[in-house]
Amino acid sequence: MPNFGYITVAAAVPATRVADVQYNVEEIERLIVEAEKRGVELLVFPELCITGYTCQDLFRSVHLLDASDEALTILTDFSLGRGITFVVGAPHRQDDRLMNTAVIISNGQRHYVHKTFLPNYNEFYEKRWFSVEAVDAEPRIFRLPSGVTFGVEICEDLWSAIPPSSNLATSGADIILNLSATDELIGKHAYLLSLLSQQSARTMSGYVYSSCGFGESTQDVVYGGNAIIYENGVQLAHSERFALTPQLVISQIDVERLRSERRANTTFGRAQGSLMSKAEVVDLELDDEAYNAILQRFTLTRQYDPHPFIPKTDNMKTSCEEIFNIQVMGLAKRLRHINAKNVVIGISGGLDSTLALLVCVKTFDKLGLPRTGIHGITMPGFGTTSRTHGNAVALMTALGITQREISIAPAVEQHFADIQHDAAIHDVTYENSQARYRTMLLMDIANQVGGIVIGTGDLSELALGWATYNGDHMSMYGVNVSVPKTLIRYLVEYVADYEMDKDAKATLMDIVDTPISPELIPADENGEIKQKTEDLVGPYELHDFFLYHFLRFGFSPAKLLFIANNAFSGMYDEQTVRHWLKTFIRRFFQQQYKRSCLPDGPKVGSVSLSPRGDWRMPSDASSALWQLD
């Protein structure tokens, strides 16, 4: 599919004069030309825009209907040699019936879709003038040369109990166009937005909505001129309401993403099997030269959030509270089920162990257990700095848990002697010996106190395999397993702001500001952290971005690079993004064996790597197909 599966779409609200067909057609043509210049491939206009929606009994005038038919002929001729497909609304005579119709026009072709449901509750009683399409009529889907498919419904169709778009989507339509004439009433716009969001999410489709605006009769009601574009429940673009000038709202829908979502959603698949009607697929023809020119002008204009895991500011508190409570409830169930009143956790003074400790504290409070049942173990080693050690001790003291400190240096030095390893060589053996010894200590102490070890590793580390196998990789229950690194600092800040006293908050905020490090090699000459994870494995914000779009939508490496360059424009150059994407792909494939034996842990978001349900992958899968050139 060209352009990584994106299609540029638009909703137009033209200037209108009621019953002035010539004027209306000229305004429609002007917007078509503008849209084509801006790379639009698919364009929708409002309901009955050829004549104006509010003509009322003038729809009985043969003179008006003849003018409308002539206008459609003019627009069909106007479409010749163009690369854009557009849809307009017009009254259409079919035998002895008059239909409220969407007219699909593409390079001299013209097709008709009739309105299924006619309203009978407003000032414009459509059944007075129009007949309805049969509810069980065979759906029609239109296919562009790119392979993108779309279906059409008209205004009231969306408001019905079972909108035609439900059938169109399960029959294969990627995008739904809606030609509408929705009048404005107090509270109605909010309800309209909820309908559009819900229907686009329910059908996993792009939804392009265009409704009448300024110029329609205001004899009894007012039309606000809504042009709105949704993709799977998310609003991409919208017009200015109550504007006095024409509107052209343009956005890009990711059809590849929508199809990936549908394939992964078994509920949608079952609906396709049980509800799908055999749709008539109409292949639309476009002028090859003009259409290719549009595709070649494609530039990605929609913006990608560089931090897809992080809640937006307006719902940050609510989202963090929800995530934290999911972690707490997961651990609470596990402790209640095994009747455990003690947990053991290694406290390093870093973000991951801090969040895991906070989850333990909240869980014990919720279960009515004394915090002394939380055994926090500090295990300073060769790379531990005074800052992280001091924060670990201060936090445990502030939270009132049981503390224990065990230096791992003597035992690890003896281990080096046993295996004849030179302690001056700071290689993987040097590092992993420390991590595994720490895990052994935690496991043995858990046996002593009759408890379980709480894992601290996060989703980002699991994706990259940045964990020592059978070291910090292992626990009895991992509370952070589906929390990405970029999100953890926000969760810690949330707890600091809303659940901690002044002293604990100060410690937590210093932990948030500490560089991320496993602290497995000695500090520098100033006692500062020398081993910084992101210098070695790459920026976590990039890896989390790759992880989200790779797992959530199955995007190819080329598309990941394409959208990452968009999201991180001005932050990283393309060479840097490409370098770390290659690292992500290599490590993700190489390190699957660590994920195949993960301990239990709660899922908090749409992306997780649990081998029991969310991500099942052979440990020896080849990454050759995913390599960038």
Side-chain angles (χ1 to χ4, degrees), residues 281-312:
V281 179
V282 178
D283 284 302
L284 299 178
E285 296 178 2
L286 291 163
D287 182 86
D288 289 341
E289 184 177 349
Y291 186 60
N292 288 331
I294 288 178
L295 295 181
Q296 290 169 5
R297 289 199 302 269
F298 175 82
T299 300
L300 185 63
T301 58
R302 62 182 285 174
Q303 297 299 306
Y304 278 87
D305 184 352
H307 305 114
F309 287 111
I310 298 175
K312 301 300 171 284

Side-chain angles (χ1 to χ4, degrees), residues 168-188:
L168 290 167
T170 55
S171 297
D174 301 310
I175 296 171
I176 304 299
L177 308 182
N178 188 315
L179 301 79
S180 189
T182 301
D183 56 87
E184 301 291 342
L185 300 170
I186 294 175
K188 188 174 182 179

